[in-house]
Amino acid sequence: MQKNKYLFLILFSLIIASTSHSCKRKTAEIVIIPDALKNHLQHARLFGNIHSIETDTYYYSDKDSLYIFLNKAMLFYSSDGYLTRAIILDRNNDTVSKQIVHYLPNAKENYWIEYNYIEHGFTKDTFLYDRYGFIKERQIFANDSLLYKIQFKTDGIGGIIEKKRILPNYHLTNVMYYNEHGLVARIEEYDPHNKMYKFFTIEYDNYGDEVNRRAFRGASQIIEYTYTQYDDKGVLQKVIFEDRLHNMREDRMYLQHDAKGNWLEEVVLQGNDTLRKRIRNIEYY
């Protein structure tokens, strides 16, 4: 009888522990969206229902020991997270360029058109889809002339597994591989003779945020390295980029954030020198 009593207590404890563990796991459940299913905001790692972003860029003048305004970028998004317009203004508040995104009735991108007010011309990027609604080709025009095409192969959910840029005299190919969460884990670049000359490996944390990106030349020589750091709430803190071929390092520090976790101030350093900073103002729906 005593033995049965202890057995019951052990089983009861296991049930409680199992239930408690399951509840904890459920509340801490992490949802990682595959790259193929992300909207423009999610691809840019922007949070919240954003209506518009204004970004002022300043460069640091060693001569004057202060930041000097360079330009303003204005991005506008639909309520479901897709880019609709992008405008660049110069330091005199004159419009340098305006990009407008046109969509099909099924919400797929139809074409992007960018007007250049300095050169008085435009470029147009047209999207073509297969019968499943996945991207199969982009055609890039300058005014009325076709510059080049990009042809795509996709997987079962629309993730791009091959991208071939076709120019008049040659082509370049990228091949993409995904991890178990549908995030790009490796990118291979091939020359016109279909010989791989460069590849990238990308690592993510448990939340699906990129933390390490390495570029290799040949089989194993690291030529570029990017490390991204977040705090314990997933807020972006720092991006370190190293170009080992040119012995160059660039640090991007993110000093202010809003309540959604989007950064509002970025300072870019190269060695001990301050290069530039960006200040963002974000409006939400």
Side-chain angles (χ1 to χ4, degrees):
M1 184 70 178
Q2 190 75 2
K3 182 178 180 181
N4 289 339
K5 178 181 177 181
Y6 286 129
L7 181 60
F8 172 79
L9 289 174
I10 292 170
L11 290 173
F12 181 77
S13 299
L14 289 173
I15 291 170
I16 293 297
S18 176
T19 303
S20 175
H21 180 67
S22 297
C23 290
K24 184 177 180 181
R25 204 169 51 173
K26 185 176 182 181
T27 56
E29 184 179 359
I30 300 170
V31 178
I32 298 177
I33 303 173
D35 286 334
L37 304 181
K38 291 178 179 177
N39 59 30
H40 291 148
L41 288 178
Q42 291 163 337
H43 272 292
R45 201 179 181 275
L46 290 164
F47 308 107
N49 198 9
I50 294 176
H51 173 266
S52 62
I53 302 176
E54 289 189 8
T55 305
D56 291 339
T57 299
Y58 302 81
Y59 71 90
Y60 189 78
S61 170
D62 290 323
K63 176 183 177 182
D64 303 308
S65 298
L66 50 77
Y67 288 103
I68 298 176
F69 177 72
L70 182 61
N71 59 35
K72 179 190 292 287
M74 304 167 63
L75 304 178
F76 299 87
Y77 295 88
S78 64
S79 59
D80 53 352
Y82 289 92
L83 184 68
T84 59
R85 283 181 297 148
I87 300 171
I88 305 294
L89 307 176
D90 64 16
R91 66 184 62 188
N92 299 316
N93 210 35
D94 293 326
T95 302
V96 175
S97 66
K98 179 187 293 185
Q99 187 178 65
I100 302 174
V101 187
H102 296 263
Y103 290 87
L104 296 167
N106 62 1
K108 296 284 186 180
E109 293 155 281
N110 187 5
Y111 63 93
W112 299 43
I113 188 163
E114 181 176 342
Y115 301 96
N116 187 316
Y117 295 97
I118 304 299
E119 299 179 358
H120 304 288
F122 69 90
T123 57
K124 184 177 180 181
D125 189 347
T126 301
F127 296 72
L128 303 175
Y129 300 90
D130 63 20
R131 60 178 178 169
Y132 302 107
F134 300 148
I135 185 71
K136 69 175 183 179
E137 186 171 291
R138 290 171 63 175
Q139 299 175 350
I140 293 82
F141 296 84
N143 298 321
D144 295 322
S145 300
L146 178 65
L147 290 182
Y148 60 90
K149 298 188 294 185
I150 305 175
Q151 294 180 343
F152 302 90
K153 293 180 181 179
T154 55
D155 60 19
I157 63 171
I160 297 169
I161 57 176
E162 182 180 289
K163 179 170 66 175
K164 181 176 292 186
R165 179 176 299 204
I166 302 175
L167 294 102
N169 299 318
Y170 64 94
H171 71 271
L172 299 171
T173 304
N174 286 4
V175 177
M176 277 68 72
Y177 299 89
Y178 294 81
N179 63 17
E180 67 274 18
H181 300 295
L183 305 176
V184 175
R186 180 182 171 99
I187 303 171
E188 298 175 350
E189 298 185 357
Y190 291 83
D191 66 17
H193 304 290
N194 293 322
K195 180 181 179 180
M196 186 176 70
Y197 64 90
K198 186 178 180 180
F199 71 93
F200 296 84
T201 61
I202 307 167
E203 298 173 354
Y204 303 86
D205 62 17
N206 292 333
Y207 295 88
D209 293 322
E210 181 179 324
V211 291
N212 293 309
R213 178 183 291 248
R214 297 177 177 88
F216 296 84
R217 185 172 64 181
S220 59
Q221 180 190 3
I222 298 180
I223 57 174
E224 295 174 5
Y225 176 69
T226 305
Y227 167 71
T228 306
Q229 179 183 341
Y230 312 88
D231 67 10
D232 56 359
K233 296 180 180 178
V235 176
L236 181 63
Q237 300 295 300
K238 181 190 294 187
V239 176
I240 299 172
F241 170 75
E242 292 185 15
D243 181 343
R244 297 189 176 182
L245 287 180
H246 303 95
N247 195 28
M248 187 270 288
R249 168 172 167 163
E250 182 177 280
D251 290 32
R252 299 188 179 197
M253 317 290 292
Y254 298 91
L255 307 179
Q256 295 185 44
H257 301 80
D258 65 13
K260 302 288 186 181
N262 296 310
W263 66 264
L264 299 178
E265 181 179 356
E266 174 197 68
V267 174
V268 181
L269 309 173
Q270 195 172 94
N272 296 321
D273 299 324
T274 302
L275 295 183
R276 62 187 181 275
K277 74 174 179 180
R278 293 192 293 169
I279 304 295
R280 291 204 305 198
N281 179 57
I282 304 176
E283 297 290 336
Y284 296 87
Y285 280 98

